[in-house]
Amino acid sequence: MTAFRILTAGITVFIILAAFKIVRLPTKKWAYIVGGAVLNVVFHHYFLNMGLFRTTGTNASLILGTGPVLTAICTALILRNYPTKIQWIGAAIGFIGIGSVVLAGGESLAGLQIGDAFVFISILAQVLSFLVISKAARTLDPRLLTAYMLIVGGLILSVISLIQEPGELIKFTTVPSSFWVIFATSAILGTAVGHMLYNYSIGQMAPLKPQSS
């Protein structure tokens, strides 16, 4: 379902961009496209889906909430672009706030599960993709980058799903019509438009600024 949703979103983005006549073939940017697709689409969605039903909602929320801190750390280590004191303080306050919500809920982080590791890999992959998108945006429209990333990532996820979950395609023939309405809304508005605007914003910002998941 995730693979089909992402492929539908990629096609939708291409249709939107075609209406604005900004679709073109990126001749020398495939490294950014494949890198972004693997990190932002394949790794992020695959490990997030695999992790969410293997851990608690509280632990998943806490791990996903570390995105701003991981962004600042990865930017400093990889790009040598160090955040300001105010940005560090803001990220730290946000992290403390997330932890406070978890503790107030009466849950602890003891006994971490494999699902927690999957969710962490998911958010780390997304954070690293921010750096790829930010760098690619210097020479490639982030909206066009998003379209190619979604198609490439969706195709890779389709292959993975056919290997990991053979025979599951038949279940799509038994779902009610309301499913397709929700599916289309999620793919077009949530994934297509959402990713396109989100990645475009990343291209306009310094990657060290805290990003939410």
Side-chain angles (χ1 to χ4, degrees):
M1 183 177 67
T2 298
F4 286 161
R5 174 174 56 83
I6 292 174
L7 283 173
T8 302
I11 295 172
T12 301
V13 174
F14 269 117
I15 293 174
I16 295 174
L17 297 182
F20 290 97
K21 298 180 179 180
I22 58 176
V23 175
R24 61 185 177 85
L25 185 64
T27 56
K28 299 181 180 180
K29 308 300 178 184
W30 286 105
Y32 291 128
I33 292 172
V34 175
V38 170
L39 291 171
N40 191 268
V41 180
V42 180
F43 282 9
H44 176 64
H45 286 88
Y46 177 82
F47 285 106
L48 183 60
N49 289 344
M50 296 298 291
L52 285 178
F53 70 88
R54 288 182 171 88
T55 185
T56 65
T58 301
N59 280 10
S61 299
L62 176 61
I63 296 170
L64 291 173
T66 61
V69 178
L70 289 176
T71 301
I73 293 174
C74 289
T75 302
L77 293 177
I78 298 174
L79 300 183
R80 303 296 181 182
N81 191 356
Y82 297 94
T84 65
K85 292 182 179 179
I86 296 297
Q87 289 172 328
W88 277 119
I89 292 173
I93 292 175
F95 186 76
I96 292 173
I98 295 168
S100 299
V101 172
V102 174
L103 295 177
E107 297 188 35
S108 68
L109 293 180
L112 294 178
Q113 306 174 45
I114 186 63
D116 299 307
F118 285 163
V119 175
F120 178 78
I121 294 173
S122 168
I123 188 62
L124 179 60
Q126 186 182 51
V127 166
L128 293 176
S129 75
F130 294 157
L131 306 183
V132 175
I133 294 170
S134 180
K135 187 172 182 179
R138 300 173 185 174
T139 55
L140 181 64
D141 190 317
R143 294 166 295 185
L144 187 59
L145 174 65
T146 300
Y148 282 110
M149 282 171 46
L150 289 173
I151 293 296
V152 173
L155 290 174
I156 295 175
L157 283 175
S158 297
V159 174
I160 294 175
S161 66
L162 291 175
I163 296 174
Q164 185 169 327
E165 299 175 338
E168 291 296 300
L169 287 176
I170 191 64
K171 293 185 178 180
F172 283 99
T173 62
T174 62
V175 297
S177 58
S178 58
F179 167 85
W180 295 110
V181 175
I182 298 174
F183 177 88
T185 302
S186 174
I188 296 173
L189 296 180
T191 307
V193 177
H195 274 66
M196 183 172 61
L197 296 178
Y198 188 60
N199 290 341
Y200 181 77
S201 299
I202 293 175
Q204 304 301 309
M205 299 168 60
L208 57 85
K209 294 181 180 179
Q211 310 284 345
S212 61
S213 172

PDB file of all heavy atoms in Angstrom, residues 68-79 83 88:
ATOM      1  N   PRO A  68      14.959  17.207  15.077  1.00  0.00           N
ATOM      2  CA  PRO A  68      15.700  18.467  15.093  1.00  0.00           C
ATOM      3  C   PRO A  68      17.108  18.332  15.649  1.00  0.00           C
ATOM      4  O   PRO A  68      18.055  18.932  15.130  1.00  0.00           O
ATOM      5  CB  PRO A  68      14.832  19.367  15.990  1.00  0.00           C
ATOM      6  CG  PRO A  68      13.458  18.800  15.854  1.00  0.00           C
ATOM      7  CD  PRO A  68      13.654  17.317  15.741  1.00  0.00           C
ATOM      8  N   VAL A  69      17.258  17.546  16.727  1.00  0.00           N
ATOM      9  CA  VAL A  69      18.584  17.359  17.313  1.00  0.00           C
ATOM     10  C   VAL A  69      19.494  16.603  16.342  1.00  0.00           C
ATOM     11  O   VAL A  69      20.661  16.969  16.150  1.00  0.00           O
ATOM     12  CB  VAL A  69      18.484  16.595  18.657  1.00  0.00           C
ATOM     13  CG1 VAL A  69      19.875  16.363  19.236  1.00  0.00           C
ATOM     14  CG2 VAL A  69      17.628  17.368  19.639  1.00  0.00           C
ATOM     15  N   LEU A  70      18.972  15.548  15.721  1.00  0.00           N
ATOM     16  CA  LEU A  70      19.768  14.784  14.761  1.00  0.00           C
ATOM     17  C   LEU A  70      20.153  15.648  13.559  1.00  0.00           C
ATOM     18  O   LEU A  70      21.258  15.523  13.028  1.00  0.00           O
ATOM     19  CB  LEU A  70      18.984  13.559  14.290  1.00  0.00           C
ATOM     20  CG  LEU A  70      18.785  12.432  15.307  1.00  0.00           C
ATOM     21  CD1 LEU A  70      17.911  11.341  14.711  1.00  0.00           C
ATOM     22  CD2 LEU A  70      20.131  11.863  15.737  1.00  0.00           C
ATOM     23  N   THR A  71      19.242  16.529  13.129  1.00  0.00           N
ATOM     24  CA  THR A  71      19.552  17.420  12.019  1.00  0.00           C
ATOM     25  C   THR A  71      20.722  18.320  12.350  1.00  0.00           C
ATOM     26  O   THR A  71      21.645  18.501  11.545  1.00  0.00           O
ATOM     27  CB  THR A  71      18.322  18.288  11.663  1.00  0.00           C
ATOM     28  OG1 THR A  71      17.226  17.434  11.324  1.00  0.00           O
ATOM     29  CG2 THR A  71      18.626  19.192  10.478  1.00  0.00           C
ATOM     30  N   ALA A  72      20.689  18.907  13.551  1.00  0.00           N
ATOM     31  CA  ALA A  72      21.772  19.789  13.972  1.00  0.00           C
ATOM     32  C   ALA A  72      23.095  19.037  14.076  1.00  0.00           C
ATOM     33  O   ALA A  72      24.149  19.522  13.637  1.00  0.00           O
ATOM     34  CB  ALA A  72      21.426  20.436  15.313  1.00  0.00           C
ATOM     35  N   ILE A  73      23.051  17.833  14.645  1.00  0.00           N
ATOM     36  CA  ILE A  73      24.273  17.041  14.828  1.00  0.00           C
ATOM     37  C   ILE A  73      24.850  16.611  13.480  1.00  0.00           C
ATOM     38  O   ILE A  73      26.055  16.737  13.230  1.00  0.00           O
ATOM     39  CB  ILE A  73      23.989  15.811  15.708  1.00  0.00           C
ATOM     40  CG1 ILE A  73      23.642  16.250  17.135  1.00  0.00           C
ATOM     41  CG2 ILE A  73      25.194  14.870  15.725  1.00  0.00           C
ATOM     42  CD1 ILE A  73      23.207  15.112  18.038  1.00  0.00           C
ATOM     43  N   CYS A  74      23.998  16.084  12.596  1.00  0.00           N
ATOM     44  CA  CYS A  74      24.471  15.617  11.283  1.00  0.00           C
ATOM     45  C   CYS A  74      25.019  16.770  10.447  1.00  0.00           C
ATOM     46  O   CYS A  74      26.006  16.614   9.727  1.00  0.00           O
ATOM     47  CB  CYS A  74      23.339  14.919  10.533  1.00  0.00           C
ATOM     48  SG  CYS A  74      22.876  13.318  11.228  1.00  0.00           S
ATOM     49  N   THR A  75      24.382  17.933  10.539  1.00  0.00           N
ATOM     50  CA  THR A  75      24.860  19.094   9.804  1.00  0.00           C
ATOM     51  C   THR A  75      26.231  19.517  10.292  1.00  0.00           C
ATOM     52  O   THR A  75      27.125  19.846   9.505  1.00  0.00           O
ATOM     53  CB  THR A  75      23.880  20.272   9.953  1.00  0.00           C
ATOM     54  OG1 THR A  75      22.594  19.875   9.476  1.00  0.00           O
ATOM     55  CG2 THR A  75      24.356  21.475   9.151  1.00  0.00           C
ATOM     56  N   ALA A  76      26.404  19.476  11.618  1.00  0.00           N
ATOM     57  CA  ALA A  76      27.696  19.868  12.187  1.00  0.00           C
ATOM     58  C   ALA A  76      28.791  18.874  11.813  1.00  0.00           C
ATOM     59  O   ALA A  76      29.904  19.259  11.460  1.00  0.00           O
ATOM     60  CB  ALA A  76      27.577  19.979  13.708  1.00  0.00           C
ATOM     61  N   LEU A  77      28.479  17.580  11.868  1.00  0.00           N
ATOM     62  CA  LEU A  77      29.491  16.558  11.605  1.00  0.00           C
ATOM     63  C   LEU A  77      29.814  16.409  10.121  1.00  0.00           C
ATOM     64  O   LEU A  77      30.979  16.243   9.751  1.00  0.00           O
ATOM     65  CB  LEU A  77      29.013  15.204  12.161  1.00  0.00           C
ATOM     66  CG  LEU A  77      28.886  15.099  13.685  1.00  0.00           C
ATOM     67  CD1 LEU A  77      28.342  13.725  14.069  1.00  0.00           C
ATOM     68  CD2 LEU A  77      30.229  15.335  14.355  1.00  0.00           C
ATOM     69  N   ILE A  78      28.781  16.467   9.276  1.00  0.00           N
ATOM     70  CA  ILE A  78      28.974  16.196   7.851  1.00  0.00           C
ATOM     71  C   ILE A  78      29.328  17.456   7.072  1.00  0.00           C
ATOM     72  O   ILE A  78      30.272  17.459   6.276  1.00  0.00           O
ATOM     73  CB  ILE A  78      27.716  15.538   7.257  1.00  0.00           C
ATOM     74  CG1 ILE A  78      27.457  14.191   7.944  1.00  0.00           C
ATOM     75  CG2 ILE A  78      27.873  15.333   5.748  1.00  0.00           C
ATOM     76  CD1 ILE A  78      26.173  13.520   7.528  1.00  0.00           C
ATOM     77  N   LEU A  79      28.595  18.541   7.312  1.00  0.00           N
ATOM     78  CA  LEU A  79      28.809  19.764   6.547  1.00  0.00           C
ATOM     79  C   LEU A  79      29.722  20.764   7.242  1.00  0.00           C
ATOM     80  O   LEU A  79      30.069  21.789   6.666  1.00  0.00           O
ATOM     81  CB  LEU A  79      27.458  20.438   6.249  1.00  0.00           C
ATOM     82  CG  LEU A  79      26.452  19.623   5.443  1.00  0.00           C
ATOM     83  CD1 LEU A  79      25.208  20.448   5.170  1.00  0.00           C
ATOM     84  CD2 LEU A  79      27.070  19.147   4.132  1.00  0.00           C
ATOM     85  N   PRO A  83      25.454  24.850  14.251  1.00  0.00           N
ATOM     86  CA  PRO A  83      24.311  25.676  14.652  1.00  0.00           C
ATOM     87  C   PRO A  83      24.732  26.748  15.650  1.00  0.00           C
ATOM     88  O   PRO A  83      25.738  26.619  16.341  1.00  0.00           O
ATOM     89  CB  PRO A  83      23.360  24.661  15.310  1.00  0.00           C
ATOM     90  CG  PRO A  83      23.800  23.332  14.801  1.00  0.00           C
ATOM     91  CD  PRO A  83      25.278  23.437  14.611  1.00  0.00           C
ATOM     92  N   TRP A  88      20.864  25.538  19.168  1.00  0.00           N
ATOM     93  CA  TRP A  88      21.116  24.412  20.063  1.00  0.00           C
ATOM     94  C   TRP A  88      20.150  24.448  21.244  1.00  0.00           C
ATOM     95  O   TRP A  88      19.598  23.412  21.653  1.00  0.00           O
ATOM     96  CB  TRP A  88      22.557  24.448  20.576  1.00  0.00           C
ATOM     97  CG  TRP A  88      23.577  23.848  19.665  1.00  0.00           C
ATOM     98  CD1 TRP A  88      24.651  24.470  19.098  1.00  0.00           C
ATOM     99  CD2 TRP A  88      23.642  22.490  19.204  1.00  0.00           C
ATOM    100  NE1 TRP A  88      25.363  23.596  18.316  1.00  0.00           N
ATOM    101  CE2 TRP A  88      24.782  22.379  18.367  1.00  0.00           C
ATOM    102  CE3 TRP A  88      22.841  21.356  19.415  1.00  0.00           C
ATOM    103  CZ2 TRP A  88      25.133  21.185  17.746  1.00  0.00           C
ATOM    104  CZ3 TRP A  88      23.203  20.169  18.799  1.00  0.00           C
ATOM    105  CH2 TRP A  88      24.324  20.093  17.972  1.00  0.00           C
TER     106      TRP A  88
END
